[in-house]
Amino acid sequence: FYSTASELENALNGVYHSLTVDGTFGRNLVIELANETDELFYKRTTLTVNPMLFNYDASNTVIAASWRALFDGVNRANYLLANIDKPVMDEKARKVIKGEALFLRSFLYFQLVSYWGDVPLMLTPTVDGNNVNVPRTPSAQIYAQILKDLTEAKDLVNPITAYTNNGKVSKTAVQAMLARVCLKMAGYPLKNTSKYVEARAWADSVITSGLHSLNPDYKQIFINHSADKYDLKECIWEIEFFGNNTGSVLLGARFSNQLAIRNTNADAGYGYAILGATPTLFNLYKQGDTRRDWNIATYGFVSNNSTDTVAKTDIYSRDAGKWRRQYETVRPLDVNWSSTNLPVLRYADVLLMFAEADNEIEGRPS
């Protein structure tokens, strides 16, 4: 394998695929491991042991699945990078593949270090099961490698103008991720405040590129994700999902169904509504902020198996509404899977990162 340009592309697709499984962004890193805050609460009674309930240990299957999936992605990237020079091919295409692989490895390690702190740093492929006791590497070294990979990737990948979708890593995606990583390094636990300057500079490089802008219709951003429409101005990088997991191509996501408005009706779209907003989150929105009533739906269904809706006003009875199943284009709607894409980097994120870094540097709002 890795002997032709096509095989390198296939290997790269395999690295991207590691972001779509249940252990990563198909479910766990969007739901179970992303919502241990005072802004959300678990609305069901099915689970009793789960990170969302603050009741788990290292043997928890969610934790194990995410650890395994993230390192599987790292290993796929390592295999690709170890064989990147093997085939005879166009050198520009080779550089692009290498850049994307470096970005993806750094992104996977960013998840690992964010959740677990010191983790094993492995930059070569795992070729057998003999070397299983790899020591943990200090977080500072992990972050240094992340920055090294991202900085190299920046000059290798294509600009977003080379694509008609934002599922591929582009130069502004790398710059935006550099801003995010530097901002994280400036805060807990490293508290390397010198990184605020770098975070601002990287965010500014995206802003001054002129390639991105805000979508004036907030709700349309998320309708696009469900309807398989691309907005390359607002959304810089998305994790792509496809279909409803029927047939031979199994690339659907579970996060959108889990966060959908509660319903068991096939036509309206099955929704588990496992998370709800707390008053803490609800009250963060100022009066008149239209984002609130899109993110926290103002309606539910008359019954759990209905297409008819009813208004909801009580905070605790309202469900998450960011991604709504009626906008999905893949039919029939599946109980567990959808093709809704997950935004990782939006232009709005870049503006907020710039503002935060600038505020820390200047000591005042910009």
Side-chain angles (χ1 to χ4, degrees):
F1 202 71
Y2 305 102
S3 58
T4 66
S6 177
E7 288 180 349
L8 285 191
E9 279 287 354
N10 289 339
L12 180 62
N13 290 338
V15 187
Y16 275 106
H17 179 261
S18 68
L19 303 178
T20 69
V21 298
D22 270 8
T24 55
F25 294 92
R27 177 179 172 126
N28 292 4
L29 299 190
V30 186
I31 300 176
E32 278 86 353
L33 297 184
N35 295 297
E36 292 73 45
T37 70
D38 58 358
E39 297 174 349
L40 298 164
F41 70 98
Y42 179 63
K43 296 187 69 171
R44 309 297 291 273
T45 58
T46 310
L47 300 173
T48 57
V49 178
N50 191 276
M52 289 186 294
L53 302 173
F54 304 96
N55 183 24
Y56 65 100
D57 58 24
S59 67
N60 184 266
T61 55
V62 171
I63 302 295
S66 295
W67 175 272
R68 182 171 56 250
L70 288 166
F71 271 112
D72 176 61
V74 168
N75 199 43
R76 292 182 185 194
N78 285 341
Y79 264 104
L80 174 53
L81 291 167
N83 291 279
I84 194 71
D85 294 322
K86 187 175 178 181
V88 176
M89 61 181 292
D90 177 75
E91 289 304 316
K92 176 64 167 65
R94 189 196 313 275
K95 288 179 179 179
V96 171
I97 293 172
K98 181 179 180 179
E100 291 180 52
L102 285 167
F103 174 94
L104 294 171
R105 183 173 71 180
S106 69
F107 179 68
L108 290 158
Y109 260 116
F110 187 42
Q111 308 312 305
L112 285 161
V113 74
S114 295
Y115 282 108
W116 284 280
D118 300 350
V119 295
L121 179 60
M122 295 183 288
L123 303 177
T124 57
T126 300
V127 296
D128 57 47
N130 293 323
N131 186 23
V132 295
N133 294 315
V134 182
R136 298 164 72 192
T137 302
S139 296
Q141 293 182 36
I142 302 288
Y143 277 107
Q145 184 64 46
I146 291 170
L147 292 181
K148 180 177 182 295
D149 281 356
L150 288 174
T151 303
E152 184 178 358
K154 173 180 65 70
D155 297 321
L156 299 175
V157 299
N158 281 324
I160 199 167
T161 51
Y163 304 113
T164 57
N165 66 77
N166 39 25
K168 295 282 279 184
V169 172
S170 66
K171 184 171 183 176
T172 44
V174 179
Q175 292 167 327
M177 189 58 65
L178 278 161
R180 180 172 289 177
V181 171
C182 288
L183 200 58
K184 174 70 172 177
M185 294 175 72
Y188 182 85
L190 295 185
K191 296 184 178 179
N192 182 356
T193 56
S194 67
K195 291 298 179 182
Y196 282 123
V197 174
E198 293 179 46
R200 183 175 66 175
W202 287 121
D204 188 58
S205 67
V206 179
I207 296 168
T208 57
S209 73
L211 295 173
H212 300 283
S213 57
L214 295 174
N215 188 323
D217 186 350
Y218 179 77
K219 66 180 183 298
Q220 190 63 44
I221 298 167
F222 305 99
I223 292 173
N224 289 343
H225 298 152
S226 297
D228 291 321
K229 295 179 180 178
Y230 296 103
D231 177 0
L232 277 64
K233 295 292 187 180
E234 165 72 40
C235 290
I236 299 173
W237 182 48
E238 299 175 4
I239 294 174
E240 290 206 71
F241 295 91
F242 176 82
N244 56 10
N245 268 39
T246 59
S248 59
V249 181
L250 306 178
L251 294 173
R254 295 181 67 194
F255 74 88
S256 56
N257 303 52
Q258 298 295 313
L259 298 177
I261 298 168
R262 181 79 180 273
N263 203 349
T264 60
N265 184 275
D267 294 325
Y270 204 105
Y272 289 86
I274 67 170
L275 292 172
T278 64
T280 300
L281 175 60
F282 188 88
N283 292 326
L284 286 174
Y285 293 100
K286 293 181 179 179
Q287 191 66 33
D289 189 335
T290 56
R291 296 175 302 173
R292 185 193 70 187
D293 289 347
W294 180 261
N295 294 334
I296 309 170
T298 57
Y299 69 91
F301 291 92
V302 172
S303 70
N304 283 339
N305 187 14
S306 174
T307 58
D308 296 324
T309 61
V310 60
K312 295 285 184 75
T313 56
D314 175 67
I315 295 174
Y316 292 105
S317 67
R318 293 169 65 168
D319 297 329
K322 185 170 284 186
W323 293 286
R324 305 187 182 191
R325 301 214 63 196
Q326 68 260 39
Y327 296 105
E328 293 178 23
T329 56
V330 177
R331 303 289 165 143
L333 297 174
D334 189 79
V335 171
N336 290 311
W337 307 95
S338 84
S339 61
T340 298
N341 287 357
L342 180 72
V344 179
L345 291 166
R346 290 172 44 210
Y347 187 59
D349 298 326
V350 172
L351 296 178
L352 289 170
M353 289 189 290
F354 179 91
E356 181 177 347
D358 190 63
N359 183 69
E360 293 293 335
I361 295 165
E362 305 296 340
R364 55 173 173 75
S366 58

